[in-house]
Amino acid sequence: MNSQDIEKIVRDEIIKNILQSQEFLLVGNWKMNKTKQEVVAFLDEIVNHDFGDKNTVVIAPPSPFLYLFEDKLRYSKILYGVQNLFPKENGAYTGEISYAIAKDFGAKYAILGHSERRTLFYECDMFVSKKVRICVQNQIKPIVCIGEDLNQRKGNDYKPYLMHQIKEGLSRISGDELLNVIIAYEPIWAIGTGETASPEQVEETHMFLRQYLIEEYGNEIGKEIPLLYGGSVNKSNIRDLALAQNVSGFLIGGASLSAQTMIEMNNILSGK
Ligand code: PGA
């Protein structure tokens, strides 16, 4: 064995130890994908898999499939949520679902303000903040998505924009309520494009976001709010991204559609 081989073994061992000591939140955002048959096949593949106790695994399917999650994951530690909800309990809101409906099916999380919703459905920060509030008041954990587009990244003016998205998105909750919120940093230029932010870019941005959260909400709260990264995360890049500072987990689109890939990504985050 030459010195390079030995160095690699030592480095791998250190990385394993780091990953084994950290808890990660792994959230799959299925978007508008899968048929009923495919959902059943996916759930059958993961339902008896032991994901371990360290990481939390959450899947957000299209809402009509929630009943299958409720049924199949009844005795499982895998959690699930919705990709969006409307900030009212019920009423004349054609095409929408409420926190009450989501909760009725056992959803524990809600992805809010995803860039696809902001861009395609014109959702603004104020609307997102109402959704955040209704979730927090009703024991659903909001995963609030923020992220800049390519022009903002290139123009180097994305940081004030990210701060603004957080401040506005969280403007209707305060104090300990903030401890129920999860932030997902998803640069728009990295979503579904195959172009991931580099671990250095993620570390730099997450460090900035962590400092901002501490400044804005105080150390006790600011240091606790989980910061997920999302944007073309897959089993080849998740390990390096997980080693970046201040990364509490991942919001994963395309790669979360395969049960096997979810299992492999959780294995990597478990230091296996
Ligand atoms: P992606 O999607 O992993 O397919 O890039 C991430 C997301 O939009 O949440």
Side-chain angles (χ1 to χ4, degrees), residues 6-232:
I6 297 172
E7 215 179 278
K8 186 177 178 314
I9 292 171
V10 172
R11 205 178 45 236
D12 284 351
E13 202 51 41
I14 293 170
I15 289 174
K16 259 191 197 173
N17 287 338
I18 295 172
L19 294 173
Q20 280 167 2
S21 66
Q22 213 182 315
E23 292 171 15
F24 292 100
L25 175 58
L26 199 56
V27 184
N29 174 11
W30 280 4
K31 309 190 180 184
M32 199 175 69
N33 288 298
K34 290 199 188 287
T35 61
K36 190 164 71 176
Q37 206 179 358
E38 288 167 347
V39 175
V40 170
F42 181 102
L43 292 173
D44 285 344
E45 231 177 304
I46 59 165
V47 70
N48 292 319
H49 177 75
D50 181 8
F51 282 87
D53 292 324
K54 186 176 77 72
N55 302 328
T56 304
V57 178
V58 178
I59 311 240
S63 297
F65 297 136
L66 286 173
Y67 79 99
L68 290 170
F69 278 68
E70 186 185 28
D71 184 38
K72 297 247 174 207
L73 300 183
R74 199 170 295 262
Y75 303 109
S76 160
K77 280 183 282 187
I78 302 160
L79 300 170
Y80 52 95
V82 289
Q83 299 172 16
N84 178 34
L85 48 72
F86 193 80
K88 291 279 181 192
E89 185 166 346
N90 52 37
Y93 304 102
T94 302
E96 296 295 318
I97 72 158
S98 66
Y99 79 83
I101 295 172
K103 244 180 119 162
D104 210 9
F105 285 101
K108 298 272 189 287
Y109 291 79
I111 299 171
L112 302 178
H114 188 281
S115 65
E116 283 149 20
R117 295 219 55 90
R118 292 179 191 258
T119 316
L120 301 171
F121 304 99
Y122 312 109
E123 288 195 8
C124 62
D125 289 320
M126 205 255 285
F127 193 38
V128 173
S129 73
K130 291 183 179 174
K131 298 178 184 207
V132 171
R133 178 163 179 76
I134 208 154
C135 280
V136 166
Q137 286 178 329
N138 292 285
Q139 296 77 47
I140 290 189
K141 278 184 180 285
I143 300 170
V144 184
C145 302
I146 59 164
E148 79 283 0
D149 65 21
L150 193 54
N151 281 339
Q152 288 166 316
R153 170 59 67 163
K154 282 187 175 156
N156 220 9
D157 55 359
Y158 60 96
K159 286 181 180 167
Y161 181 70
L162 297 177
M163 288 190 317
H164 179 80
Q165 282 189 312
I166 294 182
K167 196 177 169 75
E168 294 295 315
L170 306 188
S171 61
R172 284 167 206 264
I173 57 169
S174 59
D176 283 355
E177 288 176 334
L178 290 154
L179 292 169
N180 296 304
V181 170
I182 294 153
I183 305 272
Y185 169 59
E186 297 206 302
I188 296 174
W189 46 274
I191 297 178
T193 56
E195 189 178 339
T196 331
S198 68
E200 292 75 23
Q201 284 173 316
V202 172
E203 181 159 297
E204 208 256 351
T205 310
H206 278 224
M207 179 65 84
F208 164 74
L209 294 172
R210 177 64 68 211
Q211 280 168 358
Y212 171 70
L213 289 171
I214 290 173
E215 255 168 53
E216 188 65 28
Y217 305 112
N219 188 40
E220 288 294 290
I221 289 171
K223 73 179 186 344
E224 294 299 334
I225 297 178
L227 281 172
L228 310 185
Y229 169 74
S232 299

